[in-house]
């Protein structure tokens, strides 16, 4: 289920499994169509999804994006006896409600930023006085990676609060600003057993040098060596494992992939946020490095048999992906721009994952904000970066743009 770069990467890797008999994708995209039969079903139409699964004797459903998970699609499929990769509605609130996650962290003494939840604009504006600058303002709900403002002035903080409460029924989480470097940790769990599934570092800002507004992600690389084995162990023991245990005690066991966005502070890793699915574009670099059978591993998660599986294995090389976005993103993207040269790009050894594309009279065109994820492997971050940009430069996409510095922190460290 899904239509983005993350789902293209998952379909590409699932299609390599000897266990796979037939792969469908709904609603899919032109890249996914190379590996799966495309089905025109909206993810929000749970009845249509279930009807299709029953009519076609589907054995397993992989839900890519967060919105259908938070809306309870996994619950409804499981009720009909279908095996699913992805958490039910209640555990998916780890992503669906920042307040839910912060309150769980407070109860379980999980290291995270100090915070306050506010249900009214006036309450939020008054609460700003309890925080220094910079301060982090988050809309309490799904925001596709863009509902966060790091405010460096009182005016900016108040403006962010005003913007959130311009929406009816809004609520906000205000957090202290954490100093450090961010890293993403991925864990597979069936509700009891958990295993690490790699690390990555995302680049959220739209412009080079991490400037401009936040986006859904302009590029990523994996692994993230800044998340050392010792720090990863601490993050699992102090953050992830207590979270999974707390959900199990609530009667809402978490099954699927849990993505922990971490800040590596001077006193250790702290949780910034959880996502209830693979990141995009982090999934693309993880799938480039993963050397096992993804379908076998996902089925073990869905069946509660993760403990019987060998530990996931990854190539030692670095994978790096560069997002090509449509001009105007993350505001109003310019759609309809023609794209050519993907075959030339992939002839270099890279893989180009489709995110926002469609076919129009036989021509591949942009249909969204983030359009392509150009992904390559290298012995070092610098080599992976060079390979990804060489492939990207082979693509003809006049109405597109990208950052030119993805992986800059790790490339600088390698020097």
């Amino acid at each position: 289920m899904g239509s983005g770069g993350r789902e293209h990467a998952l379909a590409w890797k699932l299609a390599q499994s000897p266990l796979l008999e037939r792969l469908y994708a709904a609603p899919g995209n032109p890249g996914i169509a190379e590996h799966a039969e495309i089905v025109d079903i909206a993810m929000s139409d749970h009845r249509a999804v279930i009807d299709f699964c029953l009519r076609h004797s589907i054995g397993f459903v992989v839900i890519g994006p967060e919105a259908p998970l938070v809306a309870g699609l996994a619950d409804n499929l499981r009720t009909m006896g279908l095996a699913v990769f992805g958490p039910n509605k209640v555990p998916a609130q780890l992503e669906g409600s920042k307040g839910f996650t912060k309150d769980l962290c407070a109860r379980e003494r999980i290291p995270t930023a100090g915070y306050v939840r506010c249900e009214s604009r006036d309450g939020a504006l008054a609460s700003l006085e309890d925080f220094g600058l910079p301060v982090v303002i988050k809309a309490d709900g799904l925001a596709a990676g863009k509902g966060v403002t790091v405010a460096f002035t009182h005016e900016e903080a108040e403006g962010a609060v005003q913007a959130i409460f311009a929406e009816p029924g809004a609520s906000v989480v205000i957090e202290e600003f954490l100093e450090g470097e961010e890293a993403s940790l991925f864990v597979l769990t069936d509700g009891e057993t958990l295993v690490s599934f790699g690390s990555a570092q995302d680049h959220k800002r739209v412009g080079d040098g991490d400037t401009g507004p936040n986006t859904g992600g302009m590029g990523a690389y994996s692994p993230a060596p800044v998340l050392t084995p010792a720090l990863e162990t601490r993050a699992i023991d102090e953050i992830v494992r207590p979270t999974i245990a707390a959900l199990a005690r609530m009667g809402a066991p978490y099954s699927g992939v849990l993505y922990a966005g971490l800040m590596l502070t001077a006193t250790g890793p702290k949780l910034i946020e959880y996502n209830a699915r693979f990141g995009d574009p982090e999934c693309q670099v993880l799938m480039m490095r993963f050397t096992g059978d993804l379908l076998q591993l996902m089925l073990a998660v869905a069946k509660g048999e993760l403990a019987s599986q060998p530990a996931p294995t990854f190539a030692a090389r670095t994978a790096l992906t560069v997002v090509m976005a449509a001009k105007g993103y993350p505001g109003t993207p310019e759609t309809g721009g023609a794209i050519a040269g993907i075959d030339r790009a992939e002839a270099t050894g890279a893989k180009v994952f489709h995110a926002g594309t469609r076919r129009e009279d036989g021509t591949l065109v942009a249909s969204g904000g983030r359009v392509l994820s150009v992904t390559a492997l290298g012995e070092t971050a610098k080599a992976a970066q060079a390979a990804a940009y060489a492939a990207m430069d082979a693509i003809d996409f006049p109405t597109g743009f990208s950052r030119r510095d993805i992986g800059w922190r790790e490339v600088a460290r390698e020097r």
Side-chain angles (χ1 to χ4, degrees):
M1 302 298 305
S3 62
R6 164 184 48 228
E7 288 76 35
H8 187 183
L10 292 173
W12 172 72
K13 186 58 75 172
L14 287 167
Q16 297 169 28
S17 172
L19 298 175
L20 184 74
E21 293 176 13
R22 192 164 189 180
L23 184 61
Y24 296 93
N29 67 37
I32 296 172
E34 297 173 13
H35 317 288
E37 185 175 328
I38 300 302
V39 183
D40 185 18
I41 301 175
M43 289 181 288
S44 58
D45 190 344
H46 295 192
R47 181 177 291 278
V49 173
I50 290 167
D51 286 348
F52 178 87
C53 290
L54 296 178
R55 281 201 317 275
H56 292 80
S57 302
I58 299 299
F60 188 44
V61 181
V62 177
I63 302 173
E66 61 274 20
L69 294 168
V70 172
L73 178 58
D75 308 61
N76 291 337
L77 289 165
R78 287 187 173 107
T79 297
M80 300 305 295
L82 290 152
V84 183
F85 184 86
N88 279 348
K89 183 174 185 174
V90 172
Q93 292 307 304
L94 286 178
E95 178 167 8
S97 168
K98 294 174 180 67
F100 175 91
T101 299
K102 298 298 284 192
D103 289 351
L104 185 148
C105 288
R107 289 196 306 272
E108 303 298 322
R109 299 184 178 179
I110 291 169
T112 187
Y115 77 103
V116 65
R117 291 178 73 175
C118 300
E119 304 294 329
S120 71
R121 183 190 64 180
D122 290 347
L125 292 173
S127 296
L128 287 174
E129 298 174 9
D130 299 330
F131 291 83
L133 292 172
V135 62
V136 181
I137 317 291
K138 295 181 176 180
D140 186 13
L142 293 181
K146 292 177 279 191
V148 179
T149 299
V150 180
F152 289 88
T153 66
H154 291 293
E155 292 76 18
E156 195 178 357
E158 290 174 1
V161 168
Q162 299 276 13
I164 289 169
F165 282 102
E167 298 290 327
S171 60
V172 70
V173 173
I174 302 172
E175 293 185 5
E176 69 170 325
F177 178 78
L178 295 176
E179 292 277 1
E181 188 166 342
E182 291 188 40
S184 302
L185 172 64
F186 296 84
V187 171
L188 298 180
T189 179
D190 57 11
E192 292 185 13
T193 303
L194 67 90
V195 297
S196 173
F197 197 77
S199 65
Q201 192 171 84
D202 186 16
H203 297 62
K204 283 288 186 201
R205 299 282 186 173
V206 73
D208 285 8
D210 293 325
T211 57
N214 270 334
T215 71
M218 293 300 292
Y221 64 92
S222 174
V226 69
L227 186 65
T228 63
L231 286 174
E232 180 177 312
T233 298
R234 277 191 68 180
I236 288 174
D237 290 345
E238 298 173 14
I239 298 173
V240 180
R241 200 181 303 278
T243 301
I244 291 167
L247 290 169
R249 287 197 308 273
M250 289 169 56
Y254 192 103
S255 176
V257 60
L258 184 58
Y259 160 5
L262 304 172
M263 185 67 79
L264 306 180
T265 74
T267 57
K270 292 189 177 185
L271 180 71
I272 302 171
E273 64 180 5
Y274 277 128
N275 290 318
R277 37 69 191 181
F278 284 107
D280 187 344
E282 294 95 334
C283 186
Q284 289 86 310
V285 288
L286 289 172
M287 292 305 133
M288 283 290 280
R289 293 184 56 234
F290 179 57
T291 58
D293 184 330
L294 183 65
L295 180 52
Q296 179 179 314
L297 191 56
M298 285 183 160
L299 276 168
V301 170
K303 293 177 179 179
E305 299 171 356
L306 187 56
S308 68
Q309 295 295 307
T313 53
F314 292 86
R317 291 187 291 172
T318 296
L320 187 142
T321 190
V322 180
V323 169
M324 298 186 78
K327 288 178 182 175
Y329 180 76
T332 304
E334 184 178 329
T335 59
I339 304 162
I342 288 178
D343 289 346
R344 286 196 303 273
E346 293 192 331
T348 69
K351 179 66 185 172
V352 180
F353 296 110
H354 293 234
T357 65
R358 69 171 186 266
R359 293 277 177 197
E360 199 171 85
D361 299 326
T363 300
L364 188 69
V365 300
S367 66
R370 293 184 296 168
V371 179
L372 301 170
S373 295
V374 185
T375 314
L377 289 163
E379 295 302 321
T380 62
K382 183 177 182 181
Q385 183 191 59
Y389 280 108
M392 193 191 75
D393 289 340
I395 296 172
D396 182 20
F397 179 25
T399 61
F401 75 98
S402 72
R403 282 181 56 164
R404 298 295 308 191
D405 65 344
I406 301 302
W408 66 268
R409 285 186 185 87
E410 199 52 40
V411 170
R413 276 191 281 264
E414 286 177 353
R415 293 196 190 107

